[in-house]
């Protein structure tokens, strides 16, 4: 599994894990993010059950597992958090932050030891070992209960499915050719994002943020001018339109 | 350990298979019950002439009721096995995932940090398997109980046949028919139960 340190400062680090070579061919590729302070850590969208052993094997290169005190699930999909039952065995004392509407659903994955901390629809701030992360509402982008995560210090926005695409396992971890990349993610956004209103609400929130890296849960990471280009592109794209019924 | 767990985690299918076969046992037990009722009515009609048949019909009713109760117990046990088996299967998967991570972690600096989770998952798996084995043992015992009752029914059938031969010609054919049906039902139940035990012990 590829791992790249995205950010490092005195208080914390961001690390991305992705492009797992061991995953099944028909399993969608995902990016998992670890934010690590001196004493604690949070895994953002820890991934599906099929990815668990690769993820666990990768994170122990950076910290002892007991340092992971928090998990975050942007929404309820299996590629996001179907590994919960196994993390529950690995990190029995951890806390899972996830949209309140999914609690009863996510518990189907197995959540006997981990504490479920529901995130209210309005979002909020999460504090961990001296750092603060903002849960930005991203409802209907694509899930009906959905959050992005913003770190004002690193200026990293974890955007969940927004900006993602069904990329191949060999695709670059960072956007290299924006025009080529955008073609690959167009249908994904048109089909997976159901609401123009929700899209606009998310864009309004996100445009107020100072972003250096826009990190989706699938596909490639946006940096520099590509972030603004992506937001403009998304604004112009009519979503909820890719359904083709015969 | 892996091979061992494979042998013991597929019982959720076995339990369902046993449970499905028990439907036939229940049907046969109800047949015995019905024949016992017929026999009772016949005994009442034939009066003094066939009084030796009364304990036999009582036994048939008791046998039918006991079998129905045992089928209930077996179904409950089979459901327990199904649940215990799935828990064990999940436990087995967890151990496999942890072992997979251990292999992939290579020389990671904090590789040993999830060792307690792996140990705990192995311990859980062992406990799940013990529960499962207990349930399977209990199910075997219940099936054995039905089978031994059906063997006893054989003896009663022989006695009934002798008794039927002594009753007046007016009722003889009826009693012989009841005995034959009882015998057939007991035989069918024994065959199904044997099949269940075979399925249960095949893996």
């Amino acid at each position: 599994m590829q791992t790249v340190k995205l950010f490092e400062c005195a208080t914390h680090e961001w690390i991305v894990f992705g492009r797992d070579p061991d995953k099944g061919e028909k399993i969608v590729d995902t990016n998992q993010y670890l934010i690590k302070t001196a004493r604690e850590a949070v895994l953002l969208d820890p991934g599906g059950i099929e990815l668990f052993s690769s993820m666990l094997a990768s994170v122990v290169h950076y910290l002892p597992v007991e340092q992971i005190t928090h998990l975050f699930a942007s929404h309820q999909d299996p590629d996001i958090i179907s590994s919960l039952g196994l993390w529950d065995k690995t990190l029995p004392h951890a806390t899972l932050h996830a949209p309140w509407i999914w609690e009863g659903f996510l518990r189907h994955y197995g959540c006997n030891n981990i504490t479920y901390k529901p995130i209210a629809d309005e979002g909020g701030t999460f504090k961990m070992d001296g750092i603060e992360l903002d849960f930005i509402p991203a409802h209907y982008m694509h899930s009906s209960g959905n959050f992005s995560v913003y770190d004002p210090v690193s200026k990293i926005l974890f955007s969940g499915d927004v900006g993602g695409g069904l990329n191949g396992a060999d695709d670059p971890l960072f956007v290299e050719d924006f025009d080529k990349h955008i073609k690959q993610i167009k249908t994904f956004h048109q089909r997976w994002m159901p609401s123009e209103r929700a899209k606009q609400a998310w864009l309004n929130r996100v445009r107020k943020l100072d972003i250096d890296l826009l990190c989706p849960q699938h596909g490639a990471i946006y940096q520099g001018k590509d972030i603004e280009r992506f937001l403009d592109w998304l604004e112009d794209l009519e979503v909820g339109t890719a359904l083709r019924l015969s | 350990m892996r091979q061992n767990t494979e042998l013991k985690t597929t019982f959720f299918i076995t339990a369902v298979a046993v449970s499905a076969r028990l439907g036939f046992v229940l049907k046969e037990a109800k047949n015995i019950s019905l024949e016992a009722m017929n026999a009772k009515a016949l005994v009442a009609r034939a009066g003094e002439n066939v009084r030796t048949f009364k304990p036999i019909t009582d036994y048939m009713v008791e046998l039918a009721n006991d079998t129905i109760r045992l089928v209930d117990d077996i179904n409950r046990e089979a459901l327990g096995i199904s649940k215990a088996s799935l828990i064990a299967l999940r436990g087995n998967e967890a151990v496999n995932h942890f072992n997979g991570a251990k292999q992939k972690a290579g020389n990671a600096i904090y590789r040993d940090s999830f060792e307690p989770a792996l140990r705990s998952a192995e311990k859980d798996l062992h406990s799940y398997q013990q529960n499962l084995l207990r349930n399977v043992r209990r199910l075997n015992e219940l099936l054995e109980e039905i089978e031994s009752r059906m063997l006893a029914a054989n003896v009663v059938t022989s006695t009934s046949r002798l008794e039927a031969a002594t009753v007046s010609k007016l009722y003889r054919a009826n009693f012989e028919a009841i005995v034959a049906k009882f015998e057939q039902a007991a035989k069918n139940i024994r065959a199904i139960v044997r099949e269940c035990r075979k399925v249960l012990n095949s893996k």
Side-chain angles (χ1 to χ4, degrees):
Chain A
M1 188 175 260
Q2 280 187 44
T3 64
V4 175
K5 194 177 282 187
L6 298 173
F7 173 81
E8 186 173 11
C9 71
T11 52
H12 62 292
E13 295 171 15
W14 276 73
I15 299 146
V16 60
F17 304 85
R19 311 295 187 265
D20 179 21
D22 295 335
K23 76 165 184 60
E25 200 187 320
K26 291 186 175 176
I27 292 175
V28 64
D29 193 61
T30 52
N31 302 325
Q32 291 69 231
Y33 297 88
L34 176 75
I35 307 171
K36 171 183 175 277
T37 67
R39 283 178 290 268
E40 293 186 69
V42 57
L43 265 179
L44 307 182
D45 285 0
I49 193 163
E50 293 295 328
L51 221 76
F52 174 79
S53 57
S54 294
M55 263 308 285
L56 184 58
S58 299
V59 296
V60 291
H61 282 273
Y62 292 90
L63 42 63
V65 280
E66 64 270 20
Q67 196 177 328
I68 304 170
T69 46
H70 299 271
L71 299 173
F72 165 81
S74 61
H75 60 289
Q76 84 291 6
D77 278 350
D79 63 316
I80 303 289
I81 187 73
S82 66
S83 57
L84 179 60
L86 292 167
W87 288 111
D88 189 70
K89 289 183 189 293
T90 317
L91 313 167
H93 306 297
T95 299
L96 169 67
H97 304 263
W100 72 269
I101 65 164
W102 298 125
E103 179 167 359
F105 297 74
L106 285 177
R107 285 187 182 277
H108 276 280
Y109 292 133
C111 187
N112 301 317
N113 303 302
I114 284 176
T115 305
Y116 192 107
K117 196 162 182 197
I119 308 172
D121 284 341
E122 297 75 20
T125 302
F126 156 57
K127 293 177 186 174
M128 179 186 76
D129 194 20
I131 67 162
E132 285 189 8
L133 300 167
D134 296 327
F135 295 141
I136 312 280
H139 308 306
Y140 296 100
M141 292 294 279
H142 70 100
S143 168
S144 50
N146 210 131
F147 289 94
S148 303
V149 178
Y150 179 64
D151 173 6
V153 174
S154 65
K155 298 178 184 175
I156 293 176
L157 175 73
F158 169 65
S159 58
D161 277 314
V162 186
L166 304 177
N167 296 57
D170 300 332
D171 288 356
L173 210 49
F174 290 85
V175 175
E176 290 171 358
D177 180 339
F178 183 82
D179 295 326
K180 189 179 159 202
H181 172 77
I182 223 73
K183 280 179 196 152
Q184 293 175 323
I185 67 168
K186 187 178 173 187
T187 310
F188 178 79
H189 285 76
Q190 286 177 320
R191 180 69 200 258
W192 264 261
M193 309 296 159
S195 162
E196 273 294 314
R197 216 171 111 189
K199 181 193 81 177
Q200 203 49 57
W202 185 82
L203 280 167
N204 291 344
R205 287 187 193 103
V206 164
R207 282 197 189 276
K208 289 176 193 156
L209 307 172
D210 187 6
I211 304 168
D212 281 352
L213 289 175
L214 190 147
C215 300
Q217 189 247 343
H218 303 284
I221 295 170
Y222 302 78
Q223 51 191 336
K225 285 181 181 167
D226 284 342
I227 295 169
E228 199 57 35
R229 290 175 77 188
F230 168 70
L231 296 178
D232 290 343
W233 171 84
L234 183 62
E235 184 138 28
D236 291 342
L237 183 77
E238 192 184 351
V239 298
T241 57
L243 182 63
R244 290 182 191 95
L245 293 175
S246 54
Chain B
M1 183 161 192
R2 185 170 299 168
Q3 196 184 3
N4 201 21
T5 53
E6 274 172 12
L7 289 175
K8 293 182 180 68
T9 50
T10 53
F11 278 117
F12 67 98
I13 301 165
T14 309
V16 170
V18 166
S19 204
R21 282 171 172 83
L22 288 176
F24 296 107
V25 173
L26 204 60
K27 192 180 146 202
E28 294 295 351
K30 282 176 181 168
N31 282 343
I32 291 177
S33 185
L34 186 68
E35 287 312 318
M37 294 303 157
N38 285 339
K40 273 191 160 186
L42 206 58
V43 166
R45 223 169 32 244
E48 219 27 44
N49 203 4
V50 293
R51 70 177 191 282
T52 48
F53 239 91
K54 176 134 188 346
I56 294 169
T57 56
D58 288 345
Y59 176 79
M60 285 165 77
V61 171
E62 197 186 313
L63 185 80
N65 289 341
D66 283 355
T67 307
I68 291 167
R69 182 183 51 77
L70 278 168
V71 167
D72 274 351
D73 289 350
I74 290 172
N75 267 328
R76 210 171 303 121
E77 208 61 47
L79 184 69
I81 286 178
S82 203
K83 282 180 183 167
S85 176
L86 281 171
I87 289 171
L89 187 67
R90 285 176 72 165
N92 190 34
E93 277 181 9
V95 168
N96 288 344
H97 280 292
F98 282 121
N99 278 325
K102 203 173 161 181
Q103 217 168 14
K104 287 176 186 175
N107 58 356
I109 184 163
Y110 302 109
R111 183 178 184 258
D112 293 337
S113 67
F114 63 83
E115 199 64 27
L118 170 59
R119 293 282 153 261
S120 165
E122 281 176 343
K123 201 176 145 199
D124 286 348
L125 177 58
H126 181 70
S127 145
Y128 300 151
Q129 285 182 316
Q130 292 306 310
N131 285 342
L132 184 57
L133 281 178
R134 259 196 302 275
N135 286 347
V136 171
R137 214 171 292 138
R138 172 82 184 128
L139 182 57
N140 254 321
E141 283 167 9
L142 288 169
L143 288 168
E144 209 177 298
E145 201 176 329
I146 292 191
E147 207 179 341
S148 65
R149 271 163 205 253
M150 292 307 134
L151 280 172
N154 262 358
V155 179
V156 175
T157 308
S158 305
T159 317
S160 311
R161 220 181 273 288
L162 288 174
E163 289 297 330
T166 62
V167 301
S168 77
K169 277 186 183 166
L170 185 64
Y171 299 107
R172 193 179 299 160
N174 288 335
F175 276 115
E176 279 174 352
I178 287 168
V179 171
K181 282 180 184 169
F182 177 60
E183 188 180 28
Q184 189 56 49
K187 199 175 152 190
N188 290 346
I189 289 177
R190 218 168 48 238
I192 299 163
V193 168
R194 249 188 225 146
E195 182 62 25
C196 285
R197 291 182 71 187
K198 211 167 123 187
V199 168
L200 193 62
N201 297 314
S202 64
K203 231 193 171 190

